[in-house]
Amino acid sequence: MLCLLAPGCGSVGEPRPPLLNIPERAQNLTARQTPEGIVLEWTWPRMTTEGVPLNDLARFDVYGWEVAPGSPVPDAALFERESRPLGAIEGDELAPYGPGERVRFVLDAAPLMGKHVTLGVRAESERGRSVGFSDLVVVEVIAPPAKPGQPSATLTRDAIVVEWPAVERASGYTIERSGEPQGPFETIGQSGSTTFRDAGYRVGELHVYRVRAIAGTVPGGAAGPPSEPVSITPSDVFAPARPSGVREVATETAVELSWEQNGEPDLAGYRVRRWQEGSEPAPIHDELLPAASYSDPGVARGQEYLYTVTAVDEEGNESEPSEAIRVRVPD
C-alpha cells in the first residue's frame, strides 16, 4: 500500500506511439550506360527516419522522367509528381545486399533510347512506407553504334597490333582480349582510332581479340556489340639488334675483339665470323660467346683478316652482322 501511495513508485510513464519504421532515403545514386543497359547503383539505408536500425526494408523502386536535353536535375517535388516507375528490386533479388552496402540494378535501355532521363530510387518498408526519393541523376541514353568489321592482328617486334574498320557514329573503341576462343573476355584498353597496340602479349600463348565501338565518352558511353574475334599465337621470330662498336687490338699472336653489349632480355650470346679476301665469312668458335669480347689466337703474322659479330637470342634468331672490321696482324 505504501509503495502504491508514494509519488512515482511503479509508474510506467507516458505511453509512446508505435515506431513507423520508415526507411531513410537511398544515397549516392549513380547511373551509367553499359552494354547490359543502364546500370544504377545506390547505398542501402542503415537507419529509419526515427534513428532505429532498419530491418524491414521490402523493396527499392526505380522511377524516371524524360527531360529536355541540357535540363538541370529537377527538384524533388517536381520529380515526385511527374516521374513514373521503370523497375523494382525486391524479394530474393535483395538477398545479396544489406544495410550500408551498394545495391546494383540494371535498367533496360531500349525504351529510353535517344532520351534524357532523370532517375531516382525510393526505399520502401514492408508496410509500404517511404520517405521519398534518393538524390536524382540525369542520364542521356545513347543508341549504341554498329558492330565493327572483322579486325586483324599483326605481330611486330614490340607489340601485337590490332586494326579494324571505322564504325559510323563511334567516338572511340574498347579492345577486349581472351586466352580462349570463346572467352571470357576482359577489356585491356581503349582507343580513339582504329588501331590498338598490345605490348603486354605473351610469346607462345593464344591471344583472341575483339572490338566494341562506343558512342559518347570514352571510357563510358554506349558500347555496341562486339566484333567477330581474331586470334593470334605470337612466336619469337625477331632477331636481336646487330652488334655495334666493334673494336680490335692485334698482336703477333692474337686478335682481341670487343663490342657494345646488346640489351635484349632473351639474348643467348654472340657469334664471331672471320675471313680473308677471296673467301667466305665463317664462325671461328663452336659455342655462343656469353660476353661481348673474344680473343682469336688462330691468326698468322703479316696476314690481314676481316671480322663481323652477330647476336643470337634464346630462340636461335640471329641478328644482322655488325659492320666488318679489317685487321692486320703484325709481322
Side-chain angles (χ1 to χ4, degrees):
M1 287 290 292
L2 291 174
C3 181
L4 292 174
L5 292 174
C9 183
S11 173
V12 295
E14 292 293 329
R16 295 183 179 181
L19 295 174
L20 296 177
N21 289 325
I22 302 175
E24 288 186 335
R25 300 178 192 276
Q27 298 291 328
N28 305 316
L29 175 64
T30 62
R32 57 191 176 90
Q33 186 172 352
T34 75
E36 293 179 86
I38 309 301
V39 176
L40 293 91
E41 293 184 329
W42 62 88
T43 303
W44 184 313
R46 293 179 182 273
M47 310 293 285
T48 70
T49 55
E50 298 154 308
V52 176
L54 177 62
N55 56 21
D56 71 339
L57 189 140
R59 59 186 286 140
F60 290 103
D61 291 297
V62 178
Y63 277 66
W65 178 39
E66 183 180 354
V67 295
S71 298
V73 176
D75 62 56
L78 182 59
F79 184 79
E80 183 92 35
R81 186 169 64 251
E82 300 292 340
S83 62
R84 61 183 179 85
L86 299 180
I89 177 170
E90 59 184 326
D92 292 341
E93 295 174 329
L94 290 174
Y97 312 106
E101 296 182 352
R102 296 290 285 172
V103 181
R104 185 178 189 272
F105 179 77
V106 181
L107 187 65
D108 184 11
L112 309 175
M113 205 64 70
K115 300 177 181 180
H116 289 70
V117 183
T118 302
L119 299 170
V121 175
R122 186 172 66 184
E124 191 174 290
S125 70
E126 292 179 353
R127 295 185 181 181
R129 292 171 175 156
S130 176
V131 74
F133 286 101
S134 65
D135 42 339
L136 307 177
V137 295
V138 178
V139 177
E140 178 187 3
V141 186
I142 304 170
K147 170 181 175 179
Q150 177 71 51
S152 64
T154 305
L155 179 64
T156 67
R157 178 178 291 275
D158 57 356
I160 294 176
V161 178
V162 184
E163 298 180 280
W164 58 91
V167 176
E168 185 178 359
R169 294 194 310 106
S171 57
Y173 304 87
T174 60
I175 297 84
E176 302 172 348
R177 185 182 68 193
S178 175
E180 300 291 338
Q182 304 303 322
F185 288 84
E186 65 172 343
T187 299
I188 59 169
Q190 288 84 33
S191 175
S193 66
T194 57
T195 302
F196 179 78
R197 297 177 63 84
D198 180 13
Y201 74 90
R202 296 171 296 278
V203 172
E205 296 184 15
L206 177 67
H207 293 62
V208 186
Y209 298 92
R210 67 184 190 185
V211 180
R212 293 181 189 268
I214 300 171
T217 59
V218 181
S227 69
E228 295 299 317
V230 60
S231 301
I232 184 172
T233 302
S235 57
D236 184 358
V237 296
F238 298 102
R242 65 188 301 196
S244 62
V246 182
R247 300 174 295 275
E248 84 288 346
V249 175
T251 69
E252 295 176 351
T253 57
V255 173
E256 306 292 338
L257 300 172
S258 64
W259 53 91
E260 300 295 332
Q261 180 76 37
N262 277 53
E264 290 83 6
D266 64 341
L267 183 71
Y270 302 93
R271 183 172 289 130
V272 176
R273 289 178 172 83
R274 183 191 67 202
W275 71 100
Q276 291 182 284
E277 292 288 355
S279 62
E280 294 295 323
I284 53 176
H285 51 87
D286 295 328
E287 303 294 330
L288 292 176
L289 304 175
S293 62
Y294 180 69
S295 178
D296 178 18
V299 293
R301 292 183 178 186
Q303 296 295 309
E304 191 173 73
Y305 300 93
L306 291 99
Y307 292 90
T308 59
V309 182
T310 58
V312 182
D313 67 17
E314 294 173 350
E315 295 295 323
N317 300 306
E318 188 169 5
S319 73
E320 292 292 318
S322 66
E323 290 189 11
I325 62 168
R326 189 180 297 270
V327 182
R328 180 176 179 82
V329 179
D331 292 333

